[in-house]
Amino acid sequence: MTVPLALMVLALFAAGLAPRVLTRSTWPDREPVLALWVWQCVVGAVLLCCLLAMALSGAAAFTAVRSHVFAGAPHGVAEAYSSSTSTPWAGALSVLLACGGAWTGAMLLREIRDARARRRRRRAELRERAPWLPGESASSSERLVVLEEEKPDAWWLPGANPQLAITTGALRRLKGRQLDAVLEHEHGHARARHDWLLHCSSALATGFSRVPVFAGFRDQVHRLVELAADDAASRRYGRLTIALALVELNEGRGVFGPCPAPVAMVPQRVHRLLAPGPRLSVSRRLRMTAVASLVPVIPILVAFAPGLSALHH
């Protein structure tokens, strides 16, 4: 089997099997940070398979690409790959994968552009509702903005000058350490740069909606980042505190009724905080982290195997 074909089979295998295994497992709810790392490693491995397959198939089909891919390679390495690659389909595969890479880049750029536009729009709305006081300027923009609104809400606005917005309705409903827990939850999103994870997963899922691993990555990332932020807040203020804060913020939205909103995660998050499952042992978490970190290495080993074999002989 040729190396590019082997890489594509590996990518298809990972893209189809990994989402089924991860979505059916129960441990991601107990270890959301570890689950996010596993998802990133799997998606990275799939993308790496496609990138390496594109490079090797392009090298087999086009002399210009071949001269760049094997520039500086020892004698015999290029011949090892040329003997294992079928040129007729190599050109079509490389062009197809190059188009896929260009499409991925376009989707990511569009996601970044849309996210920046949303942030500018929300910042303008914040500034309209909370104008600068005399003596204030854009350079002294505050990190916390309090908005006059009955609806209890709080959210973090990422960007070059991140801001945390909270309504007066939330200030009235949150009691004691509950407010601190909500602020810590939003700070947890900011520290872990969850906005970038959300952008990348959305771009991949938008560009390749029929690929299970990308669709699953987007759906799970939106859920897991909330669980991870809940855990960050609960470690400092306790699970009961953040659970009560979630109830206070969302009680009036109907998510705790008999027919909650289809995308509402709040009841599941509250139940998880009040009745947490046992965490994985430290040794098991370390083993799973190490195994997940090795997943992107597999495509590299497959791609370099013929060259290493040629050097050995």
Side-chain angles (χ1 to χ4, degrees):
M1 181 181 290
T2 63
V3 175
L5 184 58
L7 288 168
M8 293 308 301
V9 170
L10 181 60
L12 292 174
F13 178 78
L17 181 62
R20 296 182 182 180
V21 174
L22 290 173
T23 54
R24 293 177 182 177
S25 301
T26 58
W27 65 265
D29 285 353
R30 292 177 283 161
E31 302 292 345
V33 175
L34 177 58
L36 284 171
W37 175 245
V38 173
W39 272 105
Q40 292 177 75
C41 290
V42 171
V43 171
V46 172
L47 295 176
L48 194 56
C49 283
C50 296
L51 178 63
L52 292 172
M54 178 187 69
L56 293 177
S57 59
F62 308 106
T63 304
V65 177
R66 183 182 183 85
S67 62
H68 285 85
V69 171
F70 295 106
H75 178 72
V77 172
E79 289 73 11
Y81 288 93
S82 62
S83 63
S84 64
T85 306
S86 177
T87 306
W89 57 264
L93 178 62
S94 64
V95 171
L96 180 63
L97 291 174
C99 292
W103 182 249
T104 302
M107 291 297 101
L108 184 57
L109 289 176
R110 191 181 76 167
E111 178 67 26
I112 294 175
R113 182 200 63 191
D114 293 346
R116 287 179 175 176
R118 289 192 298 268
R119 283 201 299 267
R120 285 195 298 268
R121 186 167 58 252
R122 297 192 72 178
R123 286 186 188 279
E125 293 174 355
L126 285 180
R127 187 51 53 205
E128 182 179 357
R129 298 175 62 183
W132 289 316
L133 297 175
E136 287 186 319
S137 64
S139 59
S140 62
S141 180
E142 65 280 0
R143 294 174 62 88
L144 177 63
V145 179
V146 179
L147 301 176
E148 183 67 35
E149 185 177 333
E150 290 298 322
K151 177 184 176 182
D153 202 0
W155 66 91
W156 183 265
L157 192 61
N161 297 310
Q163 286 183 309
L164 177 63
I166 189 168
T167 65
T168 53
L171 294 177
R172 282 191 289 267
R173 292 188 66 92
L174 297 176
K175 306 173 183 63
R177 289 160 58 91
Q178 294 175 8
L179 176 60
D180 295 329
V182 170
L183 299 181
E184 182 64 23
H185 173 97
E186 299 301 333
H187 286 150
H189 284 310
R191 285 194 301 268
R193 298 310 303 265
H194 287 160
D195 55 315
W196 280 104
L197 264 180
L198 294 170
H199 295 332
C200 292
S201 62
S202 296
L204 289 171
T206 301
F208 305 94
S209 58
R210 295 185 179 274
V211 180
V213 70
F214 296 150
F217 184 43
R218 176 194 56 191
D219 296 339
Q220 293 300 311
V221 160
H222 280 75
R223 185 176 66 89
L224 292 172
V225 295
E226 294 299 333
L227 301 186
D230 287 343
D231 289 347
S234 66
R235 281 193 293 271
R236 187 169 181 179
Y237 297 102
R239 290 181 172 271
L240 179 60
T241 302
I242 186 64
L244 292 175
L246 286 173
V247 172
E248 293 292 341
L249 288 176
N250 296 277
E251 189 176 15
R253 300 180 183 181
V255 298
F256 294 102
C259 297
V263 294
M265 284 178 46
V266 177
Q268 291 84 355
R269 289 167 59 191
V270 172
H271 181 269
R272 173 181 174 271
L273 289 166
L274 296 179
R279 294 195 63 184
L280 302 179
S281 64
V282 176
S283 60
R284 188 176 178 185
R285 294 202 301 270
L286 291 175
R287 288 196 302 269
M288 293 179 67
T289 302
V291 171
S293 302
L294 292 176
V295 171
V297 179
I298 298 176
I300 299 176
L301 294 178
V302 172
F304 279 76
L308 294 175
S309 179
L311 291 176
H312 179 71
H313 293 295

